[in-house]
Amino acid sequence: MLIAPVRSFRGRFTLPGDKSISHRLAILGAMAEGETRIFGFSTAADCASTLRCLAALAADVRLRDGAVLVAGRGPAALAPPRGVLDAGNSGSTLRMLAGVLAGRPFRCVLDGDDSLRRRPMERVADPLRAMGASVTTTEGRAPLTIEGGPLRGVAWDLPVPSAQVKTAVLLAGLQAEGETTVREPAPSRDHTERLLAAFGVVVAREGGAVSIRGGQRLRAASMTVPGDVSSAAFLIVAALIRPDSEVRIEGVLLNPGRTAFIDVLRRMGAAIDTGIERQEPEPTGWIVARSSALRGTEVPPLAVPALIDELPALAVAGAHASGTFTVSGAAELRNKESDRIATLCEGLARMGADVEERADGFVIEGGPRLKGTVVRSHGDHRIAMALSVAALAAEGATDVADAGCVAVSFPDFYSVLERGSDGG
Ligand code: S3P
């Protein structure tokens, strides 16, 4: 994808539904009793993977007038799939479904694409085994074979904060005997906790721990999914780094577990306003961002879990800031759709940024204007989008190779980028 620099970036945008929430609503809908109607379901290829896997498990999933309808009949109605369950590029699909399948009395194999096959799976296999499921990984990775059955509740300390693993344990816990508690070293996104409550499940949250009692039934719920705030991050950074720019994003998710990147940008001097219009079940509202003179900052380890997906966009802001932008305690970035520390540093360095790669993060000396060149996405949607936004402010055109992967989370990214771009 060839991207020319733009004079400014402006517009009002409403983005497709949040990816994390869409996955969860579909899965909870399939475990519930009654019809769950999901409006504004994500257009991401990842969420289509979840729907496909649920359908393969005999869940009644339909699309009608743009809504996703899931007619749930409780977890017991899920049936063995005919073949391997293919999660595609989606770690959320594979890990969260592993939690559902741990409680189902049949054997099935979960797999994904080459990128997903490189990602760590023992972190989800371990607690599910402790609860009584048989889970085999392929040297710690996918494919995963799960033979579910009767489960017992567990008290599990996650070694690394992970909302996907927390969700898997809670979904297994719902099917287990007794109580299940998950503790995290730092808080990860809490959509599962909030949405379980919306489906009528009693969830206890205390400090860094979440507990649920097994055997609770889920009541179908309907919801309009707020716009994806992780997609919004790219448009926000585009407006910040170009002169005479302003974006307004409406109906977007403003869950504090997902908006920590806005706090970091504000610390960097960004002019960003937000307004919450609805609190339940997920805070939703608007974001306005305007051109800003940015300065570097430090993103400390404790802040990382709540902005892990936005670090590629933040790095682009860091490259356009004065002074030093530092990220540490983010080794987990190496376990994402690509090794994001390596791929991000490679792309920005190729564009002329002063970047130092570290084992658990990176340091960027902002200032020098980036130059258009050929950069690689490594098949990672967020790397493709980050480098594309960087290209808007570069000198000369940038060719982002293998950019089709943006469809994993934001299929319309390039048309939205074009709509906001003003002049060259
Ligand atoms: C997600 C959790 C995070 C995040 C991913 C989506 C979720 O992954 O990076 O994009 O929806 O729960 P981890 O749970 O592996 O940290």
Side-chain angles (χ1 to χ4, degrees):
M1 174 67 65
L2 198 65
I3 312 224
V6 299
R7 204 169 46 74
S8 63
F9 192 81
R10 314 182 61 83
R12 289 171 94 97
F13 304 93
T14 308
L15 301 177
D18 187 72
K19 183 158 87 72
S20 290
I21 293 177
S22 296
H23 282 300
R24 286 163 170 80
L25 284 172
I27 294 172
L28 296 183
M31 296 178 80
E33 283 157 42
E35 185 175 76
T36 290
R37 277 172 291 165
I38 314 169
F39 304 99
F41 191 82
S42 166
T43 53
D46 269 5
C47 295
S49 293
T50 291
L51 295 184
R52 234 185 311 102
C53 288
L54 289 172
L57 289 163
D60 182 348
V61 181
R62 270 175 248 189
L63 302 179
R64 201 202 301 146
D65 301 332
V68 171
L69 310 181
V70 188
R73 283 165 291 132
L78 298 175
R82 259 199 228 115
V84 169
L85 287 175
D86 181 5
N89 191 245
S90 176
S92 299
T93 305
L94 196 153
R95 294 194 180 116
M96 295 200 256
L97 284 180
V100 178
L101 293 167
R104 298 296 88 224
F106 49 79
R107 188 170 177 276
C108 71
V109 180
L110 280 157
D111 202 358
D113 67 8
D114 289 343
S115 151
L116 190 50
R117 279 182 168 201
R118 285 194 291 269
R119 300 177 64 184
M121 292 299 157
E122 281 302 327
R123 55 178 64 185
V124 70
D126 264 349
L128 300 178
R129 283 186 200 116
M131 296 176 83
S134 152
V135 186
T136 320
T137 65
T138 310
E139 291 172 22
R141 292 160 210 280
L144 238 70
T145 303
I146 303 188
E147 192 153 354
L151 302 177
R152 50 187 176 273
V154 73
W156 195 260
D157 286 304
L158 295 186
V160 192
S162 164
Q164 293 173 359
V165 177
K166 173 175 62 179
T167 301
V169 177
L170 292 175
L171 297 182
L174 266 180
Q175 306 170 76
E177 185 146 343
E179 193 169 68
T180 293
T181 300
V182 189
R183 259 181 247 104
E184 294 191 280
S188 65
R189 61 194 69 191
D190 66 354
H191 306 305
T192 302
E193 296 87 311
R194 287 173 183 264
L195 297 177
L196 277 172
F199 278 74
V201 171
V202 179
V203 181
R205 301 170 72 174
E206 216 187 294
V210 189
S211 307
I212 52 168
R213 203 172 15 82
Q216 298 186 66
R217 287 152 74 145
L218 286 78
R219 272 193 324 265
S222 292
M223 181 175 166
T224 300
V225 184
D228 196 313
V229 67
S230 299
S231 299
F234 295 103
L235 309 183
I236 291 168
V237 172
L240 296 178
I241 63 173
R242 296 314 294 142
D244 302 319
S245 300
E246 177 172 318
V247 291
R248 182 177 172 95
I249 299 158
E250 315 261 9
V252 68
L253 178 70
L254 291 174
N255 178 318
R258 298 283 300 284
T259 55
F261 75 98
I262 294 178
D263 305 331
V264 170
L265 288 170
R266 282 182 176 144
R267 227 164 53 225
M268 295 173 76
I272 305 180
D273 294 313
T274 59
I276 292 184
E277 290 168 330
R278 185 156 51 88
Q279 279 289 356
E280 296 293 333
E282 287 280 358
T284 304
W286 52 266
I287 303 175
V288 172
R290 300 181 191 87
S291 324
S292 304
L294 301 175
R295 49 186 183 271
T297 189
E298 260 180 60
V299 178
L302 258 182
V304 166
L307 47 70
I308 185 98
D309 289 344
E310 290 69 47
L311 281 170
L314 284 176
V316 173
H320 288 88
S322 59
T324 313
F325 179 80
T326 311
V327 174
S328 57
E332 187 58 15
L333 272 184
R334 297 198 184 272
N335 293 323
K336 296 296 178 186
E337 287 82 330
S338 69
D339 172 345
R340 284 187 178 155
I341 295 182
T343 53
L344 196 55
C345 291
E346 176 198 284
L348 290 175
R350 272 178 180 242
M351 295 180 79
D354 181 350
V355 195
E356 184 198 328
E357 179 175 340
R358 297 207 173 147
D360 68 339
F362 47 86
V363 181
I364 304 177
E365 289 299 335
R369 177 149 188 214
L370 302 185
K371 290 184 193 60
T373 180
V374 181
V375 290
R376 300 186 292 171
S377 72
H378 293 270
D380 182 332
H381 56 127
R382 297 202 208 282
I383 298 301
M385 292 190 279
L387 297 175
S388 299
V389 169
L392 298 180
E395 199 180 315
T398 302
D399 186 1
V400 181
D402 193 10
C405 59
V406 299
V408 161
S409 65
F410 193 0
D412 283 341
F413 174 71
Y414 286 109
S415 53
V416 169
L417 212 59
E418 198 175 324
R419 189 152 67 73
S421 295
D422 187 10

